[in-house]
Amino acid sequence: MSKAEVTMEVGNDGVAVITMSNPPVNALALAIIAGLKEKYAEAMRRNDVKAIVVTGKGGRFSGGFDINVFQKVHKTADLSHLPDASIDLLVNTVEDAKKPSVAAVEGLALGGGLEVALACHARIAAPKTQLGLPELSLGVIPGFGGTQRLPRLVGLSKAVEMMRLSKSISSEEGYKLGLVDAVVSSEELLKVSRRWALDIVNKRKPWVRSLHQTDKLGSVSEALEILKISRQQAKKTVPHLPQHQACLDVIEEGIVHGGYSGLLKETKVFNELVLSDTAKGLIHVFFAQRATSKVPNVTDIGLKPRNVKKVAVIGGGLMGSGIATALIISNIYVVLKEVNSEYLLKGIKTIEANVRGLVTKGKLTQDKARKALSMLKGVLDYSEFKDVDMVIEAVIENIPLKQKIFSEIEKICSPHCILATNTSTIDLNLVGEKISSQDRIIGAHFFSPAHVMPLLEVVRTEKTSAQVILDLMTVGKAIKKIPVVVRSCTGFAVNRTFFPYAQGAHFLVNLGVDLFRIDRVISNFGLPMGPFQLQDLSGYGVAEAVGKEFATAFQGRTFESPLVNLLLKNGRNGKQNGRGYYIYEKGSKPRPDPSVLPIIEESRRLANIMPGGKVLISAIKGGFIAFCI
Ligand SMILES: CCCCCCCCCCCCC[C@H](O)CC(=O)SCCNC(=O)CCNC(=O)[C@H](O)C(C)(C)COP(=O)(O)OP(=O)(O)OC[C@H]1O[C@@H](n2cnc3c(N)ncnc32)[C@H](O)[C@@H]1OP(=O)(O)O
């Protein structure tokens, strides 16, 4: 691991180029921050230095403050790891220095990295550079002045949107907004930045200290109105996350009392949030998510991923069409196979609707949508399977059917073709029982909607080869998923965890607890929705199939609720046919469906676990909540 360092080179033009180097993202480790202070002090002392350019090595400016430091703080609860650099470094040393600084920004400038650039007197960026303040996604707020400088450069509304959604913008958009002073090619970046710095010295360019700019803030009353609306949005969408309101409070402090006061409050609030449970949890997730990409004896044995250009998806239902969508929008050619023209057309229509939905949400351009759909071919047989690099089977959770399909595709596909199943629960050894090439069997368990949800369970058996695992992990990353490698057992990781949770919910309902109250308790606890609304989304057929698998795998240890089967008999299948626990009407939130209550009563009668169940409500309620936590 090359060490973190800050270098400085002074050119004949009198410009000192200070370069941060801390691969792979030039994170602002404490050594980098100390190095910046040291080089700046030297640059200020030297008479041959007229101006400074700050840049990052390796085509990236900086990915922000070193998040490892937060982990150190969490372990020790010792904030001294976080001495104040916002004022000391970025105000006193950079922004208020007697010599101007220009940031030469390439690749990405995120968090503290962008904040260093904001403290400079101009920013020159290479094309498509990623600029953002994603600190709220880590449970904190920008702590190097971003809450004050960003609104003063791009305007309050845009700044609040970028911070609250941890949404980056490109250097091109930054130029339009006034965050970036010029966008030039990588080759020109340093030259233009040096010239810009000298132009500031010679008064040919403005010497801008963004902390003191107010022209983009509008009037205080307008600003307070924007913040009021943002507060209401945060209260509604993320009521459990303290960093959102805290960020708005800090921004307001600076608007009402001035940028410097805002900085002082920012540092205080930042240090409080660093120790919050939310920050501890989200920073753990940050590293845990990256740790999943390191799989012993797979990613560390020198294997190179093979190029997967063409994938066959078998089954154009909810999951198959979602998987096909995820592949084609990432430029992977898809052959979608169904058993008849009606189902095939339905699958293709679903994919087209998925792609249109992404365009409507601004997640895909029209051109990319057209290109994606051009990479989809519907078939009714295996004739196009000879040259596919991977097959993903996504048919119903029926073991004999899956075994039949795998026998067929093993005969038709090339010997290197990856044979994947999207099963959510069935043991892969069972799925592949009838084929010989067990090393190519792997689970590609997507989560509905497959073209949206980021998690991809990569399920391996004892025989799955390291190459196949690596190939699927690579495809997962290419289609913007987070691949997590798990072993093959009933339920793999997610459903094995989810199943007892769902069981508990059904247990309580059959004990007499109000179903809709359970959903309210869970959504008030902070999950996106309760177990029954979620069951409406995934459909009752899945719930019944998964329930049977678990009952078989854990005989005598599961509670078999009659409710799902009664619902199916009553012609209900959740949101899919508009008849679930809730009523689904376009444009409005799901409403409890009173016509489901008699079915629930019937389930209680059949389950007969506790007549009425009233006596246990308090204990159960406590137990259930504890259970969910
Ligand atoms: C004078 C002395 C005084 C000392 C002062 C002390 C400070 C004072 C108080 C602190 C104030 C800080 C204020 C600041 O506002 C806070 C922040 O900046 S928080 C961090 C904000 N940045 C981010 O959230 C970005 C996080 N990273 C990413 O989004 C992505 O990594 C990326 C940068 C977009 C790159 O993505 P990829 O190319 O996919 O690469 P990976 O994600 O796999 O990452 C590769 C590798 O790098 C590690 N890494 C990435 N970012 C950071 C980081 N910011 N800090 C530490 N490490 C980082 C990542 O974990 C991977 O590591 P690996 O898994 O390979 O070991």
Side-chain angles (χ1 to χ4, degrees):
M1 175 84 157
S2 50
K3 72 182 174 64
E5 62 172 356
V6 178
T7 58
M8 182 168 83
E9 283 179 35
V10 180
N12 297 331
D13 58 1
V15 173
V17 177
I18 295 177
T19 304
M20 301 177 286
S21 173
N22 185 18
V25 300
N26 294 335
L28 299 178
L30 298 185
I32 295 289
I33 293 173
L36 286 171
K37 270 183 68 64
E38 181 200 323
K39 295 307 178 193
Y40 257 87
E42 183 186 342
M44 294 303 148
R45 281 195 305 272
R46 289 179 55 162
N47 295 326
D48 61 338
V49 172
K50 298 174 190 162
I52 291 129
V53 166
V54 186
T55 192
K57 195 173 180 183
R60 283 173 153 175
F61 187 76
S62 170
F65 183 64
D66 181 354
I67 303 173
N68 293 291
V69 176
F70 294 145
Q71 284 206 316
K72 205 175 289 177
V73 168
H74 293 159
K75 286 192 180 99
T76 62
D78 172 7
L79 283 178
S80 65
H81 291 297
L82 295 177
D84 167 36
S86 180
I87 304 288
D88 181 26
L89 175 64
L90 296 187
V91 175
N92 302 342
T93 308
V94 177
E95 191 168 52
D96 289 356
K98 56 183 188 297
K99 299 176 183 178
S101 293
V102 170
V105 183
E106 188 175 17
L108 50 83
L110 297 173
L114 179 59
E115 290 171 293
V116 168
L118 297 178
C120 292
H121 305 98
R123 284 149 295 281
I124 313 299
K128 295 186 178 14
T129 299
Q130 187 185 354
L131 307 169
L133 294 180
E135 286 86 342
L136 273 69
S137 66
L138 296 171
V140 293
I141 62 170
F144 271 155
T147 61
Q148 308 304 312
R149 293 191 178 92
L150 189 64
R152 288 164 171 78
L153 283 167
V154 304
L156 181 57
S157 294
K158 186 63 181 177
V160 167
E161 177 198 19
M162 286 176 66
M163 286 185 262
R164 283 208 50 231
L165 302 180
S166 291
K167 186 177 173 187
S168 301
I169 60 173
S170 67
S171 41
E172 290 78 4
E173 185 178 359
Y175 175 70
K176 288 178 191 156
L177 291 164
L179 173 59
V180 169
D181 297 277
V183 178
V184 301
S185 69
S186 297
E187 296 72 28
E188 293 283 296
L189 182 62
L190 269 187
K191 187 173 80 175
V192 173
S193 301
R194 301 176 85 113
R195 190 167 61 235
W196 198 289
L198 292 173
D199 283 349
I200 294 175
V201 172
N202 299 317
K203 297 182 176 35
R204 288 193 292 269
K205 294 284 186 201
W207 187 321
V208 178
R209 294 157 63 221
S210 57
L211 185 66
H212 306 285
Q213 298 290 104
T214 55
D215 59 303
K216 289 203 175 170
L217 290 179
S219 69
V220 172
S221 58
E222 285 166 347
L224 293 179
E225 184 57 26
I226 290 169
L227 293 173
K228 181 182 163 200
I229 293 166
S230 300
R231 282 199 172 88
Q232 289 163 350
Q233 283 171 339
K235 197 159 185 272
K236 196 171 149 196
T237 55
V238 284
H240 308 277
L241 301 180
Q243 68 270 29
H244 289 259
Q245 297 296 346
C247 187
L248 297 168
D249 293 345
V250 168
I251 293 169
E252 180 172 330
E253 174 74 16
I255 285 168
V256 173
H257 300 289
Y260 203 85
S261 296
L263 288 185
L264 295 173
K265 185 175 179 78
E266 179 190 84
T267 298
K268 177 178 176 298
V269 169
F270 178 89
N271 286 347
E272 289 163 2
L273 286 171
V274 161
L275 292 174
S276 68
D277 289 341
T278 302
K280 288 175 184 170
L282 291 172
I283 286 164
H284 169 77
V285 166
F286 175 85
F287 286 114
Q289 204 169 307
R290 280 152 185 82
T292 60
S293 60
K294 299 177 185 69
V295 181
N297 303 317
V298 173
T299 56
D300 57 0
I301 54 176
L303 290 175
K304 293 278 176 277
R306 294 174 298 184
N307 192 10
V308 175
K309 302 185 298 294
K310 182 176 177 184
V311 176
V313 175
I314 301 177
L318 178 69
M319 291 308 294
S321 55
I323 294 166
T325 306
L327 291 162
I328 61 174
I329 62 175
S330 296
N331 300 322
I332 294 177
Y333 190 84
V334 168
V335 174
L336 177 70
K337 179 185 177 296
E338 257 294 0
V339 289
N340 61 49
S341 309
E342 180 201 347
Y343 286 0
L344 181 58
L345 183 61
K346 190 167 179 238
I348 289 173
K349 291 283 179 212
T350 306
I351 295 165
E352 288 169 347
N354 290 344
V355 170
R356 276 197 307 275
L358 292 171
V359 172
T360 307
K361 292 185 182 124
K363 295 184 183 301
L364 203 63
T365 62
Q366 287 287 7
D367 286 347
K368 286 188 176 171
R370 271 191 291 277
K371 178 158 187 270
L373 291 171
S374 72
M375 301 188 80
L376 173 67
K377 181 172 185 180
V379 298
L380 295 174
D381 58 39
Y382 290 123
S383 54
E384 291 270 343
F385 279 47
K386 295 185 187 61
D387 64 344
V388 297
D389 303 306
M390 174 160 66
V391 178
I392 301 178
E393 167 271 310
V395 302
I396 56 170
E397 294 290 73
N398 175 301
I399 294 176
L401 174 60
K402 290 180 186 295
Q403 290 174 337
K404 176 175 173 293
I405 287 171
F406 273 77
S407 296
E408 291 166 348
I409 58 179
E410 182 184 38
K411 296 185 186 76
I412 287 149
C413 297
S414 74
H416 79 263
C417 179
I418 299 164
L419 307 177
T421 170
N422 175 58
T423 181
S424 63
T425 305
I426 301 170
D427 186 333
L428 265 62
N429 292 303
L430 270 176
V431 171
E433 199 173 62
K434 307 262 192 275
I435 70 168
S436 53
S437 42
Q438 300 280 329
D439 61 321
R440 293 191 281 150
I441 284 264
I442 194 162
H445 180 214
F446 291 80
F447 292 80
S448 184
H451 61 296
V452 174
M453 297 300 280
L455 180 59
L456 169 63
E457 273 186 326
V458 175
V459 189
R460 63 189 296 181
T461 70
E462 297 305 322
K463 303 185 189 90
T464 306
S465 75
Q467 184 67 58
V468 165
I469 297 168
L470 181 69
D471 292 345
L472 181 53
M473 288 176 71
T474 307
V475 170
K477 284 190 177 175
I479 63 174
K480 302 195 179 39
K481 300 297 176 188
I482 299 166
V484 179
V485 180
V486 297
R487 292 207 178 277
S488 178
C489 66
T490 300
F492 312 140
V494 171
N495 282 342
R496 200 176 180 91
T497 313
F498 179 78
F499 189 74
Y501 159 76
Q503 284 260 293
H506 275 266
F507 193 68
L508 288 168
V509 164
N510 283 285
L511 274 174
V513 177
D514 171 10
L515 178 143
F516 302 109
R517 180 179 175 201
I518 293 171
D519 270 6
R520 284 196 303 275
V521 164
I522 294 299
S523 49
N524 290 339
F525 175 66
L527 270 67
M529 64 183 73
F532 297 101
Q533 191 181 340
L534 181 60
Q535 204 160 67
D536 265 0
L537 273 187
S538 50
Y540 304 144
V542 172
E544 183 163 68
V546 167
K548 282 186 182 136
E549 286 304 316
F550 273 87
T552 307
F554 303 105
Q555 293 192 10
R557 295 167 57 194
T558 62
F559 165 63
E560 295 184 47
S561 166
L563 183 52
V564 171
N565 186 264
L566 289 171
L567 291 164
L568 285 166
K569 283 181 180 162
N570 184 259
R572 290 171 181 264
N573 192 22
K575 190 174 181 186
Q576 287 177 36
N577 70 355
R579 303 188 64 222
Y581 300 107
Y582 294 85
I583 295 167
Y584 295 90
E585 284 158 349
K586 203 167 174 59
S588 57
K589 282 179 70 175
R591 288 184 295 114
D593 184 350
S595 68
V596 82
L597 296 177
I599 301 170
I600 294 172
E601 284 308 322
E602 174 61 6
S603 176
R604 287 168 179 162
R605 189 186 66 75
L606 291 173
N608 190 27
I609 337 174
M610 179 73 68
K614 302 296 177 210
V615 68
L616 278 176
I617 288 297
S618 52
I620 286 292
K621 188 181 76 172
F624 181 73
I625 292 171
F627 181 89
C628 288
I629 289 170

